[in-house]
Amino acid sequence: DQIKAQGQTLEAVLETEGMSRVDLEKQIRTQKMVESMAGAGKEVSQEDIDAFLEKYKDQLPEDSSEEELQNLAKEQLSSQAGNEAINTWLAGLKAEAKIYYRKLFF
């Protein structure tokens, strides 16, 4: 919808980025698997949404409806929570990783 609103097509944007539709699908699939493994996807509370809207009220689009603003806030907060969960998960993996190097002699 965002791409259409800008008068573009998905194929044109992907071409500009040097990606194919298959590349995009792989990227989305990988992202969803990482989110699942990291435990991302926490529900955003109405209290969090209201606090976000209050904090950023001067930066939000003025011509948006209340529903659009609620959705925007929910998406932003959900994305932030997901990124935090993924970063925490990755940090834990790095901290617990045990890497062994072996020298090979020929």
Side-chain angles (χ1 to χ4, degrees), residues 2 4 15 18 20 31 35 44 49-50 56 61 65 67 73 75-77 82 103:
Q2 291 174 347
K4 286 181 186 177
E15 187 176 322
S20 69
Q31 179 68 26
E35 287 172 0
V44 178
I49 292 170
D50 293 340
Y56 296 105
S65 69
E67 182 180 356
E75 287 174 19
Q76 275 295 119
L77 291 168
K103 254 186 169 178

Side-chain angles (χ1 to χ4, degrees), residues 52-53 60-61 67-77:
F52 178 93
L53 292 174
L60 297 170
E67 182 180 356
E68 290 170 330
L69 292 175
Q70 292 275 327
N71 288 335
L72 174 71
K74 186 174 182 177
E75 287 174 19
Q76 275 295 119
L77 291 168

Side-chain angles (χ1 to χ4, degrees), residues 24-76:
L24 177 63
E25 289 171 359
K26 285 180 184 177
Q27 193 176 55
I28 292 169
R29 200 173 301 116
T30 300
Q31 179 68 26
K32 293 300 178 187
M33 284 190 298
V34 168
E35 287 172 0
S36 176
M37 288 186 286
K42 170 188 120 178
E43 277 298 312
V44 178
S45 72
Q46 187 60 47
E47 183 177 290
D48 291 337
I49 292 170
D50 293 340
F52 178 93
L53 292 174
E54 180 62 30
K55 182 176 181 178
Y56 296 105
K57 65 183 171 190
D58 295 336
Q59 300 172 24
L60 297 170
E62 294 177 14
D63 59 342
S64 297
S65 69
E66 183 63 28
E67 182 180 356
E68 290 170 330
L69 292 175
Q70 292 275 327
N71 288 335
L72 174 71
K74 186 174 182 177
E75 287 174 19
Q76 275 295 119

